[in-house]
Amino acid sequence: MAEIVITESAAAAAQLGADAVQALVAEKPDAVLGLATGSTPLPLYRALQRRVAAGLDLSRVRAFALDEYVGLERGHPQSYASVLLREAVEPLGLDGGAVRVPDGSLEGIETAGARYEAAIEAAGGIDLQVLGIGTDGHIGFNEPGSSFASLTRVKTLTEQTRHDNARFFDSAGEVPMHCVTQGLGTILRARHLLLLAFGESKAAALANAVEGALSASVPASAIQLHPRVTVLVDEAAASGLARADYYRYAWANKPRWQGL
Ligand code: GLP
């Protein structure tokens, strides 16, 4: 089962997430991180940035983005390559050459998924995958209906996701229709999953993902199949959880030696 930690704020959750990254990097300085975009991981990246300022060295870390839009021109400010450069690579002092994003350019798009899978494999797999969750229960850009066995491939975004992400673009029509995303099978291969969810708008999707039935209709429910999942949420995102009291009780009584 996933370990669900209900925190008082996104900032508190971000500190726990940063603890997990820091512990991993202490053990493996060239650890492979899976990086998510969207607004959810930003508090985690900010918390890590403060630790880097205080001496944490992430310069040998390698990273793979979860997903990318298809067809945005190179250097578009909302391409996930640009977003990660701005929000993670530069502030965290990562080696840009060791951070890979799926290739969303139209030329060669048919092989973008296979090339990405090969690169992840060549890096020895992902040690810690950071995940957000979409209001429709997607992780990465695996929209409802995605196979639990899926690998990195081109997907069509739902209207809901395009609508949710329109805030990052000048108009809704500018949000690309297609993406390249790590599959649910790709995500399940990572050695540790760190799912973050903040705010009321994520409460239903989160409850379905961690307490509902395994279903391709709720792609994030795939995490129930993974042996090592940490779910860090604030009170609002936890408001739909039926077993919230148990998760609080388990956290309060967690054996010290366990770590995250
Ligand atoms: C986006 C991304 C996901 C992200 C999710 C939630 O579309 N592709 O990786 O986790 O939707 O976004 P946000 O964190 O902004 O709510």
Side-chain angles (χ1 to χ4, degrees):
M1 192 193 92
E3 176 167 46
I4 298 164
V5 186
I6 302 170
T7 59
E8 58 181 22
S9 64
Q15 290 303 332
L16 291 174
D19 288 346
V21 173
Q22 189 161 0
L24 170 67
V25 173
E27 203 176 290
K28 184 179 178 186
D30 66 343
V32 180
L33 299 182
L35 298 178
T37 44
S39 40
T40 304
L42 295 180
L44 170 64
Y45 299 153
R46 293 298 87 84
L48 284 169
Q49 187 178 358
R50 286 190 291 276
R51 295 185 190 201
V52 167
L56 173 66
D57 181 9
L58 299 179
S59 64
R60 291 181 57 202
V61 160
R62 297 165 289 159
F64 287 90
L66 260 181
D67 45 17
E68 178 58 291
Y69 291 114
V70 168
L72 289 184
E73 82 241 18
R74 213 183 182 78
H76 187 291
Q78 290 308 326
S79 75
Y80 285 171
S82 300
V83 171
L84 277 181
L85 190 64
R86 222 165 38 233
E87 307 289 1
V89 177
E90 287 170 351
L92 301 184
L94 304 184
D95 169 6
V99 178
R100 194 148 169 169
V101 179
D103 182 0
S105 47
L106 290 171
E107 200 179 324
I109 192 68
E110 315 85 85
T111 61
R115 282 184 276 131
Y116 205 60
E117 288 293 329
I120 293 174
E121 208 172 307
I126 293 171
D127 291 304
L128 176 69
Q129 175 65 60
V130 178
L131 296 168
I133 183 169
T135 57
D136 63 359
H138 73 236
I139 48 177
F141 268 139
N142 293 282
E143 299 287 25
S146 294
S147 162
F148 282 12
S150 53
L151 300 178
T152 307
R153 70 225 182 280
V154 172
K155 286 288 288 181
T156 307
L157 299 177
T158 61
E159 277 307 313
Q160 173 74 52
T161 297
R162 293 186 72 220
H163 175 264
D164 284 352
N165 288 4
R167 68 188 190 281
F168 296 112
F169 293 80
D170 292 336
S171 68
E174 266 183 57
V175 185
M177 215 168 271
H178 296 98
C179 64
V180 188
T181 181
Q182 283 190 34
L184 295 174
T186 317
I187 292 167
L188 290 175
R189 286 176 184 170
R191 289 180 272 277
H192 183 187
L193 303 181
L194 187 67
L195 178 84
L196 309 172
F198 306 125
E200 179 75 43
S201 67
K202 301 297 175 70
L206 181 81
N208 284 332
V210 299
E211 293 182 338
L214 271 183
S215 168
S217 297
V218 183
S221 67
I223 68 171
Q224 295 180 35
L225 293 169
H226 195 286
R228 190 172 177 208
V229 182
T230 305
V231 178
L232 301 175
V233 295
D234 64 3
E235 295 283 350
S239 59
L241 296 173
R243 289 190 292 272
D245 288 345
Y246 170 68
Y247 308 137
R248 287 195 180 90
Y249 172 78
W251 178 248
N253 294 291
K254 185 179 168 72
R256 280 295 144 238
W257 52 266
Q258 262 185 350
L260 271 183

